Amino acid sequence: MATQILMPALSPTMEEGTLAKWLVKEGDEVKSGMIIAEIETDKATMEFEAVDEGTVGKILIAEGTEGVKVNTPIAVLVEEGESAEDVAAPAAPVAAAPAPAAAPVAAAPAPAALVAPAKPDWPEGTAMKSMTVREALREAMAEEMRANENVFLMGEEVGEYQGAYKISQGLLDEFGARRVIDTPITEMGFAGLAVGAAWGGLNPIVEFMTFNFAMQAIDHIINSAAKTNYMSGGQLPCPIVFRGPNGAAARVAAQHSQDYAAWYSQIPGLKVVMPYTAADAKGLLKAAIRDPNPVVFLENEILYGRTFDVPVLDDFIVPIGKARIARPGKDVTIVSFGIGMTYALEAAERLAKDGIDAEVIDLRTIRPMDTATIIESVKKTNRLVTVEEGFPQSSVGNFISATVMQQAFDWLDAPVINLCGKDVPMPYAANLEKLALVTTDEVVAAVKQVTYR
Amino acid sequence: MATRKSAEKSNVSRDELLKYYRDMLLIRRFEEKAGQLYGMGMIGGFCHLYIGQEAVVVGLEAAAKEGDKRITSYRDHGHMLVAGMDPKGVMAELTGRIGGYSKGKGGSMHMFSREKHFYGGHGIVGAQVPLGTGLGFADKYKGNDNVTFVYFGDGAANQGQVYESYNMAELWNLPVIYVIENNQYAMGTSTKRATKSPNLWERGAAYGIKGEMVDGMDVMAVKAAAEKAVAVCRAGEGPYILEMMTYRYRGHSMSDPAKYRTREEVQKVRETRDAIEHVRELLIEGNLASDDDLKAIDKEIKAIVNEAADFSKESPEPDVSELWTDIYA
Ligand SMILES: Cc1ncc(C[n+]2csc(CCOP(=O)(O)OP(=O)(O)O)c2C)c(N)n1
Ligand SMILES: [Mg+2]
């Protein structure tokens, strides 16, 4: 019986990839375990091993083909005596598999055009370059490391492996092992060590493979980095950046899928940044590295591969603590940050079709929070919905609601709605995971509720 | 460590050898199938295969008795199968279905069976070490003679909580066997790039803990060491450290491009140290089993694994109401 070889999923967030190279040709014998192709994901080039045995009857997808969806038949294996022609038109094996693992939004890269800052962070007429969030973060670190000898990067797999999520790709080559430092798996140890190094006059960038593992180190982030300047009467500031992916990726379950924005936003002495676009990722990371305070810089794995326009400037900085009006509007204010912006902007587009003109604010910095921009907007629209991925109790949205109630109570025409992830640990099962995350539909429904439509 | 004990020397019976062969083969075939289902998108997220390391858990479990507990990391499928958990329930958890051990809510890295005394399945590197130490604490508190097997990797061995655990375990003589599965890599970091103390088991000496290094590719050597460690712990003289020298054949997880080692390095271990091949040779060369006997076992294992895979596809996704259950006891 002929067997189809399907395009494999090679990472939790992979939905498609490039068939970079075939290592077998038609007529070749294939044994289980043999490497038959090289497949490029946005993170890496991976070797693809055969599971089934047989002869390559037909190669269906030529090497060099980009954007091959997971589960597409890429070749047919035949047994002795069979020919590829005997193989009936490929049945749709895709149907057998459950919905792809990735969060539903991962497929839809937000068009850069949606992002039209009311007051851009760059001069009019600046040339723009399209790049991924991943590239933007890498450029920010590289530029700051070139500019300041005391900036160094430390973390698990940041050097020789080129970064678990490839953010630090190439940095070891350029800056050497003195400044791009692979650590053992000892988060508490290297976070504390980096705080000490900051006190000693350096500017560490600490990469957590994900922020879930920063819980091992949170004592040093909070008790050591955030509080010591105060306790020392201003003698020991701590210029350090703690960065890495935060929030849910896809199907990695409860211990690997938590949004820590609200947690860190509680702490005086910390700054907390959570960019959505590549431009903000770049400009804010550069600002964070220069900041004399500890900055928790929350990235998102699903956003790493998304492309946005970034200004081409010698030294592009986005100030910490300033929100961005991503879409001006007059009927309702939607406040979000990080990946939540995906749902907020999608909802705004859909609402526009129903005649509701939403103003979407991208907070960018969670602490110190630009509440002035929110208040100003609410005074105009009189309605507010907040959108975030984290848990509902004591969420960032709760703080925004309280602030708005105190400072703009008389302007509100409806109770504020805080949309959050569901109040459950992140489930693994594909169907439950979707339900646990905040969705565009929920944003649309919440806006209709506060606008009484 | 380099030379293997022969079957005669370790005085192992035909039945015993056949059981090890069977258990190790079950793990390998199960993992190959899991890898295949991952490639098809049936399994999502992170999936860490145990292929290459089978002798470790099979040898250790050979020294266990009913009531003993075990706890490990995310690389946990093999541990569950040998602990007697149903391959169907394990595979269905991998596919996120209601028939899985955690009703589909935990996935590959987070699975548990109270009945089989399997306490996970933990996603945070090193976390299982104090947790397992606590399981041992509970048994000592209750005054029974159970022991707990705490498995962790060479990478995890650098986490501070391991040493906090060592100190308490020795201080209170807890019946805990720390099994370091030294497969020489923590993701892309070889042990040489993570520590200058080459013998991980020796670190226990600083706390007064006994231990030794074992060829983790030789199931009989593992079993012999496990029996010794178990005896020490049951006698109230624990804890004990066993550093198992082993090797993983596949990438760290399914998404690891594995550029940090050569194919030749992997190939060499497969060809010269493979644990299953080793037992197969002992069986055949010692005239303890025929090719046909082993083929029958292969067939039987294949059927078990296929049945598990079928179950994992047929079992439905959890009902949406499951989103809200089990948050509190
Ligand atoms: C606290 C923490 N830090 C980092 C990670 C990411 N991570 C998962 S497995 C792993 C490597 C662990 O290697 P080792 O302990 O040798 O176990 P092995 O995977 O070889 O079985 C890393 C860094 C994690 N899960 N938890
Ligand atoms: Mg290891």
Side-chain angles (χ1 to χ4, degrees):
Chain A
M1 246 270 295
T3 340
Q4 289 179 347
I5 301 179
L6 305 180
M7 181 74 170
L10 296 169
S11 82
T13 47
M14 174 171 170
E15 296 189 338
E16 56 174 47
T18 300
L19 209 165
K21 196 164 168 202
W22 276 110
L23 301 173
V24 291
K25 54 183 188 326
E26 290 176 5
D28 282 0
E29 195 69 36
V30 169
K31 288 247 173 310
S32 149
M34 196 171 145
I35 313 258
I36 55 170
E38 283 180 6
I39 288 172
E40 246 171 62
T41 67
D42 61 345
K43 280 192 251 171
T45 303
M46 307 268 303
E47 293 175 335
F48 175 36
E49 286 181 20
V51 182
D52 300 301
E53 318 217 318
T55 306
V56 180
K58 197 162 184 62
I59 284 181
L60 302 170
I61 303 278
E63 66 179 31
T65 310
E66 288 176 18
V68 183
K69 294 257 180 301
V70 166
N71 270 331
T72 310
I74 56 175
V76 179
L77 283 186
V78 292
E79 283 177 10
E80 226 172 293
E82 278 182 330
S83 88
E85 277 66 51
D86 300 343
V87 182
V94 197
V105 291
L114 272 185
V115 183
K119 281 173 271 169
D121 298 294
W122 48 85
E124 214 177 311
T126 303
M128 302 297 281
K129 180 165 107 186
S130 140
M131 67 169 82
T132 60
V133 171
R134 174 181 283 115
E135 289 159 349
L137 292 166
R138 184 184 307 142
E139 268 197 15
M141 288 196 285
E143 286 177 16
E144 293 307 299
M145 288 175 79
R146 279 175 212 133
N148 180 356
E149 163 73 17
N150 288 332
V151 177
F152 71 94
L153 172 66
M154 169 175 268
E156 292 161 19
E157 310 288 3
V158 297
E160 291 192 18
Y161 197 84
Q162 307 294 326
Y165 296 98
K166 299 287 170 275
I167 305 303
S168 57
Q169 192 157 38
L171 296 185
L172 176 66
D173 286 348
E174 181 176 350
F175 298 102
R178 178 169 163 264
R179 299 181 67 196
V180 179
I181 303 161
D182 281 321
T183 63
I185 310 171
T186 61
E187 286 84 4
M188 186 171 204
F190 66 74
L193 181 154
V195 171
W199 290 341
L202 303 182
N203 299 80
I205 306 172
V206 174
E207 174 173 311
F208 291 113
M209 193 176 283
T210 78
F211 260 92
N212 304 287
F213 316 141
M215 280 206 281
Q216 299 281 323
I218 203 162
D219 183 63
H220 282 308
I221 300 174
I222 293 175
N223 268 330
S224 308
K227 296 180 182 172
T228 305
N229 192 55
Y230 189 80
M231 296 190 299
S232 66
Q235 296 178 76
L236 278 186
C238 187
I240 191 169
V241 177
F242 299 104
R243 51 155 290 271
N246 165 67
R251 305 292 305 281
V252 292
Q255 292 186 333
H256 284 71
S257 313
Q258 191 171 333
D259 172 13
Y260 292 91
W263 278 44
Y264 290 110
S265 80
Q266 264 241 314
I267 307 301
L270 279 186
K271 293 189 177 182
V272 183
V273 173
M274 190 154 156
Y276 166 59
T277 68
D280 286 342
K282 180 170 180 191
L284 282 164
L285 182 52
K286 282 167 66 79
I289 295 169
R290 290 182 201 184
D291 202 285
N293 297 289
V295 180
V296 171
F297 195 91
L298 303 169
E299 302 161 10
N300 184 289
E301 190 193 333
I302 293 167
L303 293 179
Y304 279 155
R306 298 237 186 126
T307 302
F308 297 85
D309 280 349
V310 178
V312 183
L313 290 170
D314 280 347
D315 194 19
F316 170 58
I317 293 276
V318 174
I320 292 177
K322 270 192 65 194
R324 178 179 67 96
I325 297 177
R327 184 189 192 285
K330 59 176 186 352
D331 296 333
V332 59
T333 302
I334 306 177
V335 176
S336 190
F337 47 92
I339 194 160
M341 284 298 294
T342 316
Y343 316 114
L345 289 170
E346 273 174 15
E349 288 299 299
R350 271 168 54 186
L351 290 161
K353 294 195 186 101
D354 292 341
I356 301 175
D357 183 18
E359 175 146 299
V360 181
I361 296 177
D362 180 356
L363 268 188
R364 307 196 288 191
T365 301
I366 317 296
R367 183 189 186 93
M369 193 186 289
D370 183 1
T371 49
T373 294
I374 303 173
I375 300 287
E376 202 185 315
S377 175
V378 168
K379 285 184 176 173
K380 179 171 73 176
T381 64
N382 313 113
R383 296 146 209 279
L384 175 62
V385 170
T386 65
V387 184
E388 68 196 284
E389 197 184 83
F391 297 128
Q393 184 166 339
S394 308
S395 65
V396 174
N398 287 173
F399 172 74
I400 295 173
S401 302
T403 307
V404 167
M405 192 168 69
Q406 282 167 1
Q407 298 182 22
F409 186 70
D410 292 338
W411 278 269
L412 281 177
D413 284 348
V416 178
I417 295 184
N418 298 143
L419 288 174
C420 293
K422 305 303 177 292
D423 202 10
V424 304
M426 183 62 74
Y428 167 73
N431 63 331
L432 298 187
E433 184 184 61
K434 272 193 207 120
L435 292 172
L437 290 161
V438 63
T439 63
T440 302
D441 284 345
E442 287 170 343
V443 182
V444 169
V447 166
K448 294 206 166 156
Q449 198 177 326
V450 299
T451 53
Y452 305 108
R453 304 271 192 122
Chain B
M1 214 209 67
T3 51
R4 292 184 138 137
K5 294 193 181 93
S6 71
E8 302 89 276
K9 256 195 264 162
S10 42
N11 228 346
V12 59
S13 74
R14 169 180 192 269
D15 285 354
E16 228 179 305
L17 266 185
L18 280 173
K19 179 174 164 25
Y20 301 153
Y21 180 77
R22 212 180 157 282
D23 287 352
M24 292 195 291
L25 198 66
L26 173 63
I27 298 177
R28 186 156 303 177
R29 295 286 173 264
F30 182 94
E31 295 290 63
E32 286 167 356
K33 182 59 83 178
Q36 193 180 1
L37 294 181
Y38 191 95
M40 291 163 65
M42 306 277 308
I43 296 174
F46 292 130
C47 181
H48 309 82
L49 303 183
Y50 197 62
I51 296 178
Q53 302 180 208
E54 297 90 343
V56 175
V57 75
V58 170
L60 277 148
E61 285 287 347
K65 70 162 178 61
E66 172 55 34
D68 290 346
K69 302 181 173 60
R70 61 280 293 162
I71 187 167
T72 186
S73 70
Y74 43 83
R75 199 177 300 287
D76 54 357
H77 312 162
H79 302 70
M80 294 188 277
L81 296 175
V82 184
M85 289 166 65
D86 183 350
K88 294 206 288 282
V90 179
M91 197 68 96
E93 190 59 38
L94 299 187
T95 55
R97 306 305 175 92
I98 191 73
Y101 269 98
S102 302
K103 305 182 198 165
K105 299 204 272 192
S108 162
M109 302 187 286
H110 320 100
M111 250 185 272
F112 309 82
S113 166
R114 224 178 162 124
E115 184 204 345
K116 300 292 178 190
H117 312 293
F118 179 76
Y119 286 84
H122 295 270
I124 302 301
V125 168
Q128 73 272 31
V129 181
L131 298 171
T133 306
L135 292 169
F137 179 90
D139 277 324
K140 165 128 191 183
Y141 188 96
K142 291 182 187 158
N144 60 41
D145 72 343
N146 296 334
V147 305
T148 298
F149 298 94
V150 180
Y151 296 86
F152 56 101
D154 47 282
N158 293 316
Q159 283 285 37
Q161 50 186 319
V162 172
Y163 301 92
E164 300 180 22
S165 304
Y166 279 4
N167 190 44
M168 291 184 282
E170 179 65 23
L171 183 64
W172 299 323
N173 284 119
L174 303 182
V176 176
I177 300 172
Y178 295 104
V179 184
I180 307 173
E181 297 201 55
N182 185 345
N183 60 12
Q184 285 146 71
Y185 292 92
M187 269 184 84
T189 304
S190 64
T191 44
K192 281 183 213 63
R193 295 205 302 117
T195 182
K196 286 205 175 172
S197 72
N199 298 329
L200 299 174
W201 70 272
E202 282 180 346
R203 296 183 188 177
Y207 303 85
I209 307 181
K210 301 166 278 297
E212 63 194 273
M213 184 184 275
V214 183
D215 180 356
M217 305 296 278
D218 179 347
V219 69
M220 268 78 65
V222 176
K223 186 208 171 200
E227 282 175 337
K228 191 161 135 197
V230 164
V232 168
C233 287
R234 293 214 208 284
E237 286 156 23
Y240 204 95
I241 298 175
L242 295 173
E243 180 177 3
M244 297 289 162
M245 302 310 288
T246 183
Y247 200 78
R248 77 169 145 72
Y249 295 176
R250 296 295 187 95
H252 167 73
S253 68
M254 295 304 293
S255 49
D256 174 13
K259 296 284 188 253
Y260 44 82
R261 61 182 188 187
T262 61
R263 284 203 68 72
E264 290 68 47
E265 178 185 312
V266 183
Q267 211 45 37
K268 189 163 166 232
V269 179
R270 289 186 102 128
E271 277 161 19
T272 60
R273 296 181 61 207
D274 188 75
I276 300 179
E277 265 320 297
H278 176 51
V279 173
R280 168 188 276 276
E281 277 161 25
L282 290 177
L283 283 164
I284 298 283
E285 280 160 24
N287 279 326
L288 299 169
S290 69
D291 252 343
D292 282 346
D293 293 339
L294 298 187
K295 273 210 187 100
I297 295 181
D298 293 0
K299 221 175 129 193
E300 179 198 335
I301 296 290
K302 211 169 175 181
I304 294 174
V305 169
N306 284 337
E307 192 193 356
D310 289 344
F311 178 78
S312 81
K313 295 176 195 165
E314 283 153 17
S315 174
E317 287 190 312
D319 188 84
V320 297
S321 62
E322 287 293 347
L323 185 62
W324 299 101
T325 62
D326 306 319
I327 298 166
Y328 295 99

